[in-house]
Structures are given as C-alpha cells and as structure tokens.
Amino acid sequence: MKLKSTFIGIGATFALAALATAAAMSGDKYTVKVPGGLAFSEFKGYESWQVINISKQEGVVGAILGNPEMIKAFEAGIPGNGKPFPDGAKMAKVHWLPKVQTTYPGPPTVAGELSNVDFMVKDSKRFADGGGWGYAVFEYDAATKNFRPGDDKSMPPQAHDAKCGAGCHTIVKARDFVFTEYAKR
C-alpha cells in the first residue's frame, strides 16, 4: 500500500510538472515578464476591467481599461482635482489593428488582430524614480499566439525595465503622468 501511495505521489508530481511546462511552452501570457520590469501576471484579470476610454493612433485602435482602484480615482475627480492616483491603481491599453466590417451597415471599423497590451501601475515606493508609475508593453505574435516583452523595435520603442513609459509621460506630470481622460458615461 505504501509503495502504491509513493507511485501515486510521484505520478502526481510529474503530472503537475508536465502541466507547468506545457503552460510555459504554450505561451501562457501570465509567465511573460519585462526583464528588470513588470510581469504580465501583475495584471491578471485585466480583460474584465472597466473601459476608461478608447484611442486611435499610429495604425491601431485601442481600449484603455482600469482596475477598480483606477476607476474609483477617476470617479473621485483624479487627476483633474490635483490629487495623485492611489498606489494600486492600474491601467491596461489593448491595441488591435483596425478592420472594416464591409458586410455591416456603415461600414464600421472594429478591432481586428491583436497587436499589443500596455500596462501601467501606480506604486510610489517601487517606482519612485518614474513618477510613481511602472510601465510595460507586451507585443502579441499572431503566428505563435504568444506575447513577448516590447523592445527597441516596438512602437513606441521600449527599454527593458519598468520605466519604459516614463519619458513620454513626463509631459503630463501635472496629471500624475496619466494621458487618459475618463470618458463621460
């Protein structure tokens, strides 16, 4: 009986290891991390966050999403009231290549192939040298269905750390480094 329990334990261990390996090899987005920066896993569940606003720029369309802390801050008047966003506030900006639905009336332009996902998180201690914000870009490869950290070939080019967006965001320092405005409902 003890031998049988040992084999079951060993089998379970190998099965779990195989599942973990398969997840890593299948491109599980939550295993990807910017070297020296943010991990995709820090934004787990972003897919169900509330929409803050939309955007269209440089050949992509996007939806800007906020976690509950971010939404509460916007609803409280931040950053227009001069207060900073609270630590723990997070945003995700999902970009797609635009696609025209020619068979629909209009015809409307909608999200097509996924391009990348950008993230921001407010953590004034961890990212004190970046205005209190950490940034990351993860490029999507449709052929492999995997994400990879953004790099110097990304648009915009990305450094390999959590400060990759700090340079661009300094022009909105008075808005606590946030470009996005909360769209009226």
Side-chain angles (χ1 to χ4, degrees), residues 19-99:
L19 284 172
T21 302
M25 293 178 71
S26 71
D28 178 5
K29 64 186 174 186
Y30 293 115
T31 63
V32 183
K33 181 179 180 180
V34 172
L38 298 173
F40 210 120
S41 62
E42 294 180 60
F43 299 87
K44 197 164 196 164
Y46 77 93
E47 302 91 342
S48 63
W49 291 352
Q50 186 175 329
V51 173
I52 297 169
N53 213 323
I54 60 170
S55 72
K56 180 181 177 194
Q57 66 189 78
E58 300 173 12
V60 294
V61 295
I64 304 156
L65 315 172
N67 72 346
E69 291 82 1
M70 192 72 177
I71 298 301
K72 286 177 195 167
F74 273 121
E75 289 173 342
I78 298 172
N81 62 10
K83 294 182 179 179
F85 287 93
D87 281 359
K90 296 178 182 181
M91 290 195 306
K93 188 173 186 183
V94 184
H95 290 115
W96 297 271
L97 299 176
K99 173 174 89 172

Side-chain angles (χ1 to χ4, degrees), residues 2-14:
K2 188 174 183 178
L3 185 60
K4 184 176 179 182
S5 295
T6 301
F7 282 124
I8 290 172
I10 292 171
T13 301
F14 279 116

Side-chain angles (χ1 to χ4, degrees), residues 45-157:
Y46 77 93
E47 302 91 342
S48 63
W49 291 352
Q50 186 175 329
V51 173
I52 297 169
N53 213 323
I54 60 170
S55 72
K56 180 181 177 194
Q57 66 189 78
E58 300 173 12
V60 294
V61 295
I64 304 156
L65 315 172
N67 72 346
E69 291 82 1
M70 192 72 177
I71 298 301
K72 286 177 195 167
F74 273 121
E75 289 173 342
I78 298 172
N81 62 10
K83 294 182 179 179
F85 287 93
D87 281 359
K90 296 178 182 181
M91 290 195 306
K93 188 173 186 183
V94 184
H95 290 115
W96 297 271
L97 299 176
K99 173 174 89 172
V100 176
Q101 289 284 25
T102 57
T103 58
Y104 298 168
T109 299
V110 298
E113 183 178 301
L114 181 62
S115 176
N116 63 37
V117 181
D118 304 350
F119 293 119
M120 284 178 66
V121 60
K122 181 72 178 267
D123 187 329
S124 55
K125 291 182 180 136
R126 186 175 169 199
F127 306 114
D129 59 346
W133 290 94
Y135 306 85
V137 172
F138 295 95
E139 298 290 338
Y140 182 72
D141 182 343
T144 64
K145 297 185 168 107
N146 291 321
F147 284 91
R148 66 169 178 76
D151 58 24
D152 59 351
K153 294 176 184 69
S154 299
M155 191 48 75

